[in-house]
Amino acid sequence: MSFLGGRGGNPAPSGGVNLEKVEMAVTELDTITDFFNRMVQSCHSKCISTRYAEDDLNKGESVCVDRCVAKFNDVQKKVGEKLQSRGAANASGGS
């Protein structure tokens, strides 16, 4: 029996797992993972020298990474808000 309440990938007969919710959770995890990977790659290439001279980040690299991550999160938030407002406008018949 799986931790999702079913056997062999089948949903539990009653009161079991909502497969739609599981699919939504997987999609959300994929989205978050993609966002994180793009942020790491972008901020790493902008802020950290390819010549790894020290074990730890220096002060300038740390500040750059902090700012880069903050900007990435701000943009992600703004895009999400814009998408939500457009979705709400479309749902209310504004298409």
Side-chain angles (χ1 to χ4, degrees):
M1 180 173 220
S2 76
F3 71 95
L4 295 175
R7 292 177 185 237
N10 296 328
S14 63
V17 173
N18 182 334
L19 293 180
E20 186 175 316
K21 286 185 179 182
V22 171
E23 288 177 24
M24 287 174 47
V26 168
T27 300
E28 185 174 356
L29 180 60
D30 289 344
T31 301
I32 292 169
T33 301
D34 178 61
F35 167 77
F36 178 79
N37 288 335
R38 285 185 294 114
M39 180 182 63
V40 167
Q41 189 225 355
S42 178
C43 293
H44 184 274
S45 67
K46 288 178 184 178
C47 299
I48 301 173
S49 170
T50 56
R51 189 183 65 91
Y52 296 111
E54 303 170 13
D55 291 345
D56 297 325
L57 296 177
N58 64 39
K59 177 87 172 171
E61 291 169 334
S62 294
V63 169
C64 181
V65 169
D66 287 344
R67 288 181 178 163
C68 183
V69 168
K71 287 178 183 179
F72 239 88
N73 283 324
D74 287 344
V75 168
Q76 181 75 7
K77 181 181 175 186
K78 288 177 183 178
V79 168
E81 289 170 353
K82 190 69 149 178
L83 289 173
Q84 279 186 336
S85 67
R86 285 190 180 179
N90 289 342
S92 67
S95 53

